[in-house]
Amino acid sequence: MEIVSIPICQIEVNEEFNCRGKILPLDVASLASDIALNMLMNPLTVRKIADPTVYTYSLVSGFRRMKALRLLDWKEAPCTIVDCDEQKAIVMNLSENMQRKDLNI
């Protein structure tokens, strides 16, 4: 998969879509510090919005990373773009988080 740089302002972040729920800035403070020191290790995953109005892309996975990038005031984020419908995006989001032992469904 190709990694592309996408302006953060073009990425819709729907926290209700994320299986982990709302993420507070305090929850990602250590992640933001690590990104500031070591850069971002894994890109965000986004999908194109069929009929864009405000946003061009919708965040599929990487909600904590996105929150950390916003804390760091990054203007662009490295992303992989996936071609999928809403159902597949939900499965992808859940799949990425299943290995996290602190997941609260």
Side-chain angles (χ1 to χ4, degrees), residues 14-95:
N14 180 354
E15 291 188 354
E16 291 179 16
F17 173 85
N18 184 22
C19 68
R20 296 180 60 79
K22 186 171 182 161
I23 299 169
L24 302 174
L26 183 60
D27 296 337
V28 296
S30 63
L31 176 59
S33 295
D34 185 66
I35 291 170
L37 287 172
N38 302 308
M39 298 304 292
L40 187 65
M41 301 293 184
N42 296 304
L44 307 176
T45 303
V46 299
R47 67 185 184 108
K48 280 195 169 228
I49 294 176
D51 295 316
T53 53
V54 176
Y55 300 103
T56 308
Y57 301 92
S58 179
L59 188 61
V60 173
S61 64
F63 283 79
R64 294 182 76 250
R65 285 169 272 158
M66 174 62 99
K67 183 72 81 169
L69 295 180
R70 286 184 169 167
L71 276 176
L72 294 169
D73 200 32
W74 281 30
K75 301 301 182 210
E76 295 186 340
C79 300
T80 56
I81 303 170
V82 294
D83 183 18
C84 65
D85 61 13
E86 182 85 6
Q87 286 293 76
K88 178 65 175 169
I90 291 168
V91 170
M92 291 174 73
N93 178 268
L94 183 59
S95 176

Coordinates of all heavy atoms in Angstrom, one line a residue, residues 14-95:
N14 N -14.8 10.9 13.0 CA -16.1 10.7 13.7 C -15.8 9.8 14.9 O -15.7 8.5 14.7 CB -17.1 10.0 12.7 CG -18.4 9.7 13.3 OD1 -18.6 9.9 14.5 ND2 -19.3 9.2 12.5
E15 N -15.8 10.3 16.1 CA -15.4 9.5 17.3 C -16.5 8.5 17.6 O -16.2 7.5 18.3 CB -15.2 10.5 18.5 CG -13.9 11.3 18.3 CD -13.5 12.1 19.5 OE1 -14.2 12.1 20.5 OE2 -12.4 12.6 19.4
E16 N -17.7 8.7 17.1 CA -18.7 7.6 17.3 C -18.5 6.4 16.5 O -18.9 5.3 16.8 CB -20.1 8.2 17.0 CG -20.6 9.2 18.0 CD -21.9 9.8 17.7 OE1 -22.7 9.2 16.9 OE2 -22.3 10.8 18.3
F17 N -17.7 6.6 15.4 CA -17.4 5.5 14.5 C -16.3 4.6 15.2 O -16.3 3.4 15.0 CB -16.8 6.0 13.1 CG -16.3 5.0 12.2 CD1 -17.1 4.2 11.4 CD2 -14.9 4.7 12.2 CE1 -16.6 3.3 10.6 CE2 -14.4 3.7 11.4 CZ -15.2 3.0 10.6
N18 N -15.4 5.2 15.9 CA -14.3 4.5 16.5 C -14.8 3.6 17.6 O -15.5 4.0 18.5 CB -13.3 5.6 17.1 CG -12.1 4.9 17.7 OD1 -11.7 3.8 17.3 ND2 -11.4 5.6 18.6
C19 N -14.4 2.3 17.6 CA -14.8 1.4 18.6 C -14.3 1.7 20.0 O -14.8 1.2 20.9 CB -14.5 -0.1 18.1 SG -12.7 -0.4 18.1
R20 N -13.3 2.5 20.1 CA -12.7 2.8 21.4 C -13.4 4.0 22.0 O -13.2 4.4 23.1 CB -11.2 3.1 21.2 CG -10.4 1.9 20.8 CD -8.9 2.3 20.7 NE -8.3 2.7 21.9 CZ -8.0 1.9 22.9 NH1 -8.2 0.6 22.8 NH2 -7.4 2.4 24.0
G21 N -14.3 4.7 21.2 CA -15.1 5.8 21.8 C -14.2 7.1 21.8 O -13.2 7.2 21.1
K22 N -14.7 8.0 22.5 CA -14.0 9.3 22.6 C -12.6 9.2 23.2 O -12.5 8.6 24.2 CB -14.9 10.3 23.4 CG -14.4 11.7 23.3 CD -15.3 12.7 23.9 CE -14.7 14.1 23.7 NZ -15.7 15.1 23.8
I23 N -11.7 9.9 22.6 CA -10.3 9.9 23.1 C -10.0 11.4 23.5 O -10.1 12.3 22.7 CB -9.4 9.5 22.0 CG1 -9.7 8.1 21.5 CG2 -7.9 9.6 22.4 CD1 -9.0 7.6 20.3
L24 N -9.6 11.5 24.8 CA -9.3 12.8 25.3 C -7.8 13.1 25.0 O -7.0 12.2 25.0 CB -9.5 12.8 26.8 CG -11.0 12.5 27.3 CD1 -11.1 12.4 28.8 CD2 -11.9 13.6 26.7
P25 N -7.5 14.4 25.0 CA -6.1 14.8 24.7 C -5.1 14.2 25.8 O -4.0 13.7 25.4 CB -6.1 16.3 24.8 CG -7.4 16.7 24.4 CD -8.3 15.6 24.9
L26 N -5.5 14.1 27.0 CA -4.7 13.5 28.1 C -4.4 12.1 27.8 O -3.3 11.6 28.2 CB -5.4 13.7 29.4 CG -4.7 13.2 30.7 CD1 -3.3 14.0 30.8 CD2 -5.5 13.3 31.9
D27 N -5.3 11.4 27.1 CA -5.2 9.9 26.8 C -4.0 9.7 25.8 O -3.5 8.6 25.7 CB -6.4 9.3 26.3 CG -7.6 9.4 27.3 OD1 -7.3 9.4 28.5 OD2 -8.8 9.3 26.8
V28 N -3.6 10.7 25.1 CA -2.6 10.5 24.1 C -1.4 11.4 24.3 O -0.5 11.5 23.4 CB -3.2 10.7 22.6 CG1 -4.3 9.7 22.3 CG2 -3.7 12.2 22.5
A29 N -1.3 12.0 25.5 CA -0.1 12.8 25.8 C 1.2 12.1 25.6 O 2.1 12.6 25.0 CB -0.3 13.4 27.2
S30 N 1.3 10.9 26.1 CA 2.6 10.1 26.0 C 2.8 9.7 24.5 O 4.0 9.7 24.1 CB 2.6 8.9 26.9 OG 1.6 8.0 26.6
L31 N 1.7 9.4 23.8 CA 1.9 9.1 22.4 C 2.4 10.3 21.6 O 3.3 10.2 20.8 CB 0.6 8.6 21.8 CG 0.6 8.3 20.3 CD1 1.6 7.2 19.9 CD2 -0.8 7.9 19.9
A32 N 1.8 11.5 21.9 CA 2.3 12.7 21.3 C 3.7 13.0 21.5 O 4.5 13.3 20.6 CB 1.4 13.9 21.7
S33 N 4.2 12.8 22.8 CA 5.6 12.9 23.1 C 6.5 12.0 22.3 O 7.5 12.4 21.9 CB 5.8 12.7 24.6 OG 5.1 13.7 25.4
D34 N 6.0 10.7 22.2 CA 6.8 9.7 21.5 C 6.9 10.1 20.0 O 7.9 10.0 19.4 CB 6.2 8.4 21.7 CG 7.0 7.3 21.0 OD1 8.1 7.0 21.5 OD2 6.6 6.7 20.0
I35 N 5.8 10.6 19.4 CA 5.8 11.0 18.0 C 6.7 12.2 17.8 O 7.5 12.2 16.8 CB 4.4 11.3 17.5 CG1 3.5 10.0 17.5 CG2 4.4 12.0 16.2 CD1 2.0 10.2 17.2
A36 N 6.7 13.1 18.8 CA 7.6 14.3 18.7 C 9.0 13.8 18.7 O 9.9 14.4 18.0 CB 7.3 15.2 19.8
L37 N 9.4 12.8 19.5 CA 10.8 12.3 19.5 C 11.1 11.4 18.4 O 12.2 11.5 17.9 CB 11.0 11.6 20.9 CG 11.0 12.4 22.1 CD1 11.1 11.5 23.4 CD2 12.2 13.4 22.1
N38 N 10.2 10.5 18.0 CA 10.6 9.4 17.1 C 9.8 9.4 15.8 O 10.0 8.5 15.0 CB 10.3 8.1 17.8 CG 11.1 7.9 19.1 OD1 12.3 8.1 19.1 ND2 10.4 7.6 20.2
M39 N 9.0 10.4 15.6 CA 8.1 10.5 14.4 C 7.0 9.5 14.5 O 7.0 8.7 15.4 CB 8.9 10.3 13.1 CG 10.0 11.4 12.9 SD 9.3 13.1 12.9 CE 8.3 13.1 11.5
L40 N 6.1 9.5 13.5 CA 5.0 8.6 13.5 C 5.4 7.3 12.9 O 5.9 7.2 11.7 CB 3.8 9.2 12.7 CG 2.5 8.5 12.7 CD1 1.9 8.4 14.1 CD2 1.6 9.1 11.7
M41 N 5.2 6.2 13.6 CA 5.7 4.9 13.1 C 4.7 4.2 12.1 O 5.1 3.5 11.2 CB 5.9 3.9 14.3 CG 6.9 4.4 15.3 SD 8.6 4.4 14.5 CE 9.5 4.9 15.9
N42 N 3.4 4.4 12.3 CA 2.4 3.8 11.5 C 1.5 4.9 10.9 O 1.0 5.7 11.7 CB 1.6 2.8 12.3 CG 2.4 1.6 12.8 OD1 3.1 1.0 12.0 ND2 2.5 1.4 14.1
P43 N 1.2 4.8 9.6 CA 0.3 5.8 9.0 C -1.2 5.6 9.5 O -1.5 4.5 10.0 CB 0.4 5.6 7.5 CG 0.8 4.1 7.4 CD 1.6 3.8 8.6
L44 N -2.0 6.6 9.3 CA -3.4 6.5 9.5 C -4.0 5.8 8.4 O -3.4 5.7 7.3 CB -4.0 7.9 9.6 CG -3.4 8.9 10.6 CD1 -4.1 10.3 10.4 CD2 -3.5 8.4 12.0
T45 N -5.2 5.2 8.6 CA -5.9 4.6 7.5 C -7.2 5.4 7.2 O -7.9 5.7 8.2 CB -6.3 3.2 7.8 OG1 -5.1 2.4 8.1 CG2 -7.0 2.5 6.6
V46 N -7.4 5.9 6.0 CA -8.5 6.7 5.6 C -9.2 6.1 4.4 O -8.7 5.2 3.7 CB -8.2 8.1 5.3 CG1 -7.5 8.8 6.5 CG2 -7.2 8.2 4.1
R47 N -10.5 6.5 4.2 CA -11.2 6.1 3.0 C -11.8 7.4 2.4 O -12.1 8.3 3.1 CB -12.3 5.1 3.2 CG -13.4 5.5 4.1 CD -14.4 4.3 4.4 NE -15.5 4.8 5.1 CZ -16.7 4.9 4.6 NH1 -17.0 4.6 3.3 NH2 -17.7 5.3 5.3
K48 N -11.9 7.4 1.1 CA -12.5 8.6 0.4 C -14.0 8.6 0.7 O -14.6 7.6 0.8 CB -12.3 8.5 -1.1 CG -10.9 8.9 -1.5 CD -10.9 9.2 -3.0 CE -9.5 9.8 -3.3 NZ -9.7 11.0 -4.1
I49 N -14.4 9.9 0.9 CA -15.9 10.1 1.1 C -16.5 10.2 -0.3 O -16.0 10.9 -1.2 CB -16.1 11.4 1.9 CG1 -15.5 11.2 3.3 CG2 -17.6 11.7 1.9 CD1 -15.6 12.4 4.2
A50 N -17.6 9.5 -0.5 CA -18.2 9.4 -1.8 C -18.6 10.8 -2.4 O -18.3 11.1 -3.5 CB -19.4 8.5 -1.8
D51 N -19.3 11.5 -1.5 CA -19.8 12.9 -1.9 C -19.3 13.9 -0.9 O -20.0 14.3 0.0 CB -21.3 12.9 -2.0 CG -21.9 12.0 -3.1 OD1 -21.4 12.0 -4.2 OD2 -22.9 11.3 -2.8
P52 N -18.0 14.3 -1.1 CA -17.4 15.2 -0.1 C -18.1 16.6 -0.1 O -18.4 17.1 -1.1 CB -15.9 15.3 -0.5 CG -15.9 14.9 -2.0 CD -17.1 14.0 -2.2
T53 N -18.3 17.0 1.1 CA -18.8 18.4 1.3 C -17.7 19.2 2.0 O -17.0 20.1 1.4 CB -20.1 18.5 2.1 OG1 -19.9 17.8 3.3 CG2 -21.2 17.8 1.3
V54 N -17.4 18.9 3.2 CA -16.4 19.6 4.0 C -15.1 18.8 3.9 O -14.0 19.3 3.7 CB -16.8 19.8 5.5 CG1 -15.7 20.4 6.3 CG2 -18.1 20.7 5.5
Y55 N -15.2 17.5 4.1 CA -14.0 16.6 4.2 C -13.9 15.7 2.9 O -14.9 15.4 2.3 CB -14.1 15.7 5.4 CG -14.2 16.4 6.7 CD1 -15.4 16.5 7.4 CD2 -13.1 17.0 7.3 CE1 -15.5 17.2 8.6 CE2 -13.1 17.7 8.5 CZ -14.3 17.8 9.1 OH -14.4 18.5 10.3
T56 N -12.7 15.4 2.6 CA -12.5 14.5 1.4 C -12.3 13.1 1.8 O -12.6 12.2 1.1 CB -11.2 15.0 0.7 OG1 -11.3 16.4 0.4 CG2 -11.0 14.2 -0.6
Y57 N -11.8 12.9 3.1 CA -11.5 11.5 3.6 C -12.2 11.3 5.0 O -12.4 12.3 5.7 CB -10.0 11.3 3.8 CG -9.2 11.5 2.5 CD1 -8.7 12.7 2.1 CD2 -9.1 10.4 1.6 CE1 -8.0 12.9 0.9 CE2 -8.4 10.6 0.4 CZ -7.9 11.8 0.1 OH -7.2 12.0 -1.1
S58 N -12.4 10.1 5.3 CA -12.9 9.7 6.6 C -11.9 8.8 7.3 O -11.4 7.8 6.7 CB -14.3 9.0 6.4 OG -14.8 8.6 7.7
L59 N -11.6 9.0 8.6 CA -10.7 8.2 9.3 C -11.3 6.8 9.6 O -12.4 6.7 10.1 CB -10.3 8.9 10.6 CG -9.1 8.3 11.4 CD1 -7.8 8.3 10.6 CD2 -8.9 9.1 12.7
V60 N -10.5 5.8 9.2 CA -10.9 4.4 9.5 C -10.2 3.9 10.7 O -10.9 3.3 11.6 CB -10.7 3.5 8.3 CG1 -10.9 2.1 8.6 CG2 -11.5 4.0 7.1
S61 N -8.9 4.1 10.8 CA -8.2 3.6 12.0 C -7.0 4.6 12.2 O -6.5 5.2 11.3 CB -7.7 2.2 11.8 OG -6.8 2.1 10.7
G62 N -6.7 4.7 13.5 CA -5.6 5.6 13.9 C -6.1 6.8 14.6 O -5.6 7.9 14.6
F63 N -7.2 6.6 15.4 CA -7.8 7.7 16.1 C -6.9 8.3 17.1 O -6.9 9.5 17.3 CB -9.2 7.3 16.7 CG -10.3 7.2 15.6 CD1 -10.4 6.1 14.8 CD2 -11.2 8.2 15.5 CE1 -11.4 6.0 13.8 CE2 -12.2 8.1 14.6 CZ -12.3 7.0 13.7
R64 N -6.2 7.5 17.9 CA -5.3 8.0 18.9 C -4.1 8.7 18.2 O -3.7 9.8 18.7 CB -4.7 6.8 19.7 CG -5.8 6.2 20.6 CD -5.2 5.1 21.5 NE -4.5 5.7 22.6 CZ -3.2 5.6 22.8 NH1 -2.4 5.0 21.9 NH2 -2.6 6.2 23.8
R65 N -3.6 8.2 17.1 CA -2.5 8.8 16.4 C -3.0 10.2 15.9 O -2.3 11.2 15.9 CB -2.0 8.0 15.2 CG -1.2 6.8 15.7 CD -0.9 5.8 14.6 NE -2.0 4.8 14.7 CZ -2.4 4.1 13.7 NH1 -1.8 4.1 12.5 NH2 -3.4 3.2 13.8
M66 N -4.2 10.2 15.3 CA -4.7 11.5 14.8 C -4.9 12.5 15.9 O -4.5 13.7 15.8 CB -6.1 11.3 14.2 CG -6.8 12.6 13.7 SD -5.9 13.5 12.5 CE -6.7 13.0 11.0
K67 N -5.4 12.1 17.1 CA -5.5 13.1 18.2 C -4.1 13.6 18.6 O -3.9 14.8 18.9 CB -6.2 12.4 19.4 CG -6.4 13.2 20.6 CD -7.5 14.2 20.4 CE -8.9 13.6 20.6 NZ -10.0 14.6 20.6
A68 N -3.1 12.7 18.6 CA -1.8 13.1 19.0 C -1.2 14.1 18.0 O -0.5 15.0 18.3 CB -0.9 11.9 19.1
L69 N -1.4 13.8 16.7 CA -0.9 14.7 15.6 C -1.6 16.1 15.8 O -0.9 17.1 15.5 CB -1.2 14.1 14.2 CG -0.5 12.8 13.9 CD1 -0.9 12.4 12.5 CD2 1.0 13.0 14.0
R70 N -2.8 16.1 16.1 CA -3.5 17.4 16.3 C -2.9 18.1 17.5 O -2.7 19.4 17.5 CB -5.0 17.2 16.5 CG -5.7 16.9 15.2 CD -7.2 16.8 15.4 NE -7.8 16.8 14.1 CZ -9.1 16.5 13.9 NH1 -9.9 16.2 14.9 NH2 -9.6 16.5 12.7
L71 N -2.6 17.4 18.6 CA -1.9 18.0 19.7 C -0.6 18.6 19.3 O -0.2 19.7 19.9 CB -1.7 17.0 20.8 CG -2.8 16.7 21.8 CD1 -2.4 15.6 22.7 CD2 -3.2 17.9 22.6
L72 N 0.1 17.9 18.4 CA 1.4 18.4 18.0 C 1.3 19.5 16.9 O 2.3 20.0 16.4 CB 2.2 17.2 17.5 CG 2.6 16.2 18.5 CD1 3.2 14.9 17.9 CD2 3.6 16.8 19.5
D73 N 0.1 19.8 16.5 CA -0.2 20.8 15.5 C 0.4 20.5 14.1 O 0.8 21.3 13.4 CB 0.3 22.2 15.9 CG -0.4 23.3 15.1 OD1 -1.6 23.1 14.8 OD2 0.2 24.3 14.9
W74 N 0.4 19.1 13.8 CA 0.8 18.7 12.4 C -0.3 19.2 11.5 O -1.5 19.2 11.7 CB 0.9 17.2 12.4 CG 2.2 16.7 12.9 CD1 2.9 17.2 14.0 CD2 2.8 15.5 12.5 NE1 4.0 16.3 14.2 CE2 4.0 15.3 13.4 CE3 2.6 14.5 11.6 CZ2 4.8 14.2 13.2 CZ3 3.4 13.4 11.4 CH2 4.5 13.3 12.3
K75 N 0.1 19.6 10.3 CA -0.8 20.1 9.3 C -1.1 18.9 8.3 O -2.2 19.0 7.7 CB -0.2 21.2 8.5 CG 0.2 22.4 9.3 CD -1.0 23.0 10.0 CE -0.6 24.2 10.9 NZ -1.4 24.4 12.0
E76 N -0.3 17.9 8.2 CA -0.5 16.8 7.3 C -0.2 15.5 8.0 O 0.6 15.5 9.0 CB 0.4 16.9 6.0 CG 0.0 18.1 5.2 CD 0.8 18.1 3.8 OE1 1.9 17.4 3.8 OE2 0.4 18.7 2.9
A77 N -0.8 14.4 7.6 CA -0.6 13.1 8.2 C -0.3 12.1 7.1 O -0.9 12.1 6.0 CB -1.8 12.7 9.0
P78 N 0.7 11.2 7.4 CA 0.9 10.1 6.5 C -0.3 9.1 6.6 O -0.7 8.7 7.7 CB 2.2 9.4 6.9 CG 2.3 9.9 8.3 CD 1.6 11.2 8.5
C79 N -0.9 8.7 5.4 CA -2.1 7.9 5.4 C -2.0 6.8 4.3 O -1.4 7.0 3.3 CB -3.3 8.8 5.1 SG -3.6 10.1 6.3
T80 N -2.7 5.7 4.6 CA -3.0 4.8 3.5 C -4.4 4.9 3.2 O -5.3 5.1 4.1 CB -2.7 3.3 3.9 OG1 -3.4 3.0 5.1 CG2 -1.2 3.1 4.2
I81 N -4.8 4.9 1.9 CA -6.1 5.1 1.5 C -6.7 3.7 1.1 O -6.1 3.0 0.3 CB -6.2 6.1 0.3 CG1 -5.6 7.4 0.7 CG2 -7.7 6.2 -0.1 CD1 -5.5 8.4 -0.5
V82 N -7.8 3.4 1.8 CA -8.4 2.1 1.4 C -9.7 2.3 0.7 O -10.4 3.4 0.9 CB -8.7 1.2 2.7 CG1 -7.4 0.8 3.4 CG2 -9.6 2.0 3.7
D83 N -10.1 1.4 -0.2 CA -11.3 1.5 -1.0 C -12.3 0.5 -0.3 O -12.2 -0.7 -0.6 CB -11.0 1.2 -2.4 CG -12.3 1.3 -3.3 OD1 -13.2 2.0 -2.9 OD2 -12.3 0.7 -4.4
C84 N -13.2 1.1 0.5 CA -14.1 0.2 1.2 C -15.4 0.9 1.5 O -15.4 2.1 1.6 CB -13.5 -0.4 2.4 SG -13.1 0.8 3.7
D85 N -16.4 0.1 1.8 CA -17.7 0.7 2.2 C -17.7 0.9 3.7 O -16.8 0.5 4.4 CB -18.9 -0.1 1.7 CG -18.9 -1.5 2.3 OD1 -18.1 -1.8 3.2 OD2 -19.7 -2.4 1.8
E86 N -18.8 1.4 4.3 CA -18.9 1.7 5.7 C -18.8 0.4 6.5 O -18.1 0.4 7.5 CB -20.3 2.3 6.0 CG -20.5 2.6 7.4 CD -20.0 4.0 7.8 OE1 -19.5 4.8 7.0 OE2 -20.0 4.3 9.0
Q87 N -19.4 -0.7 6.1 CA -19.3 -2.0 6.8 C -17.9 -2.5 6.9 O -17.4 -2.9 8.0 CB -20.2 -3.1 6.2 CG -21.7 -2.9 6.4 CD -22.1 -3.1 7.8 OE1 -21.8 -2.2 8.7 NE2 -22.7 -4.2 8.1
K88 N -17.2 -2.5 5.8 CA -15.8 -2.9 5.8 C -14.9 -2.0 6.7 O -14.0 -2.5 7.4 CB -15.3 -3.0 4.4 CG -13.8 -3.4 4.3 CD -13.6 -4.8 4.7 CE -12.1 -5.2 4.5 NZ -11.8 -6.5 5.1
A89 N -15.2 -0.7 6.7 CA -14.4 0.2 7.5 C -14.6 0.0 9.0 O -13.7 0.0 9.7 CB -14.9 1.7 7.1
I90 N -15.9 -0.4 9.3 CA -16.1 -0.7 10.7 C -15.4 -2.0 11.2 O -14.8 -2.0 12.2 CB -17.7 -0.9 11.0 CG1 -18.4 0.4 10.8 CG2 -17.9 -1.6 12.3 CD1 -19.9 0.3 10.7
V91 N -15.3 -3.0 10.3 CA -14.6 -4.2 10.6 C -13.1 -3.9 10.7 O -12.4 -4.4 11.6 CB -14.8 -5.3 9.5 CG1 -13.9 -6.4 9.6 CG2 -16.3 -5.7 9.5
M92 N -12.6 -3.0 9.8 CA -11.2 -2.7 9.9 C -10.8 -2.0 11.2 O -9.8 -2.2 11.8 CB -10.8 -1.8 8.7 CG -10.8 -2.6 7.4 SD -10.6 -1.5 5.9 CE -8.8 -1.1 6.1
N93 N -11.7 -1.0 11.6 CA -11.5 -0.3 12.8 C -11.5 -1.2 14.0 O -10.6 -1.2 14.9 CB -12.6 0.8 13.0 CG -12.4 1.5 14.3 OD1 -13.0 1.2 15.3 ND2 -11.6 2.6 14.2
L94 N -12.4 -2.1 14.1 CA -12.5 -3.1 15.2 C -11.3 -4.0 15.1 O -10.7 -4.3 16.2 CB -13.8 -3.9 15.1 CG -14.1 -4.9 16.2 CD1 -14.1 -4.2 17.5 CD2 -15.4 -5.6 15.9
S95 N -10.9 -4.5 14.0 CA -9.8 -5.4 13.8 C -8.5 -4.8 14.4 O -7.8 -5.5 15.0 CB -9.7 -5.9 12.4 OG -8.6 -6.7 12.2

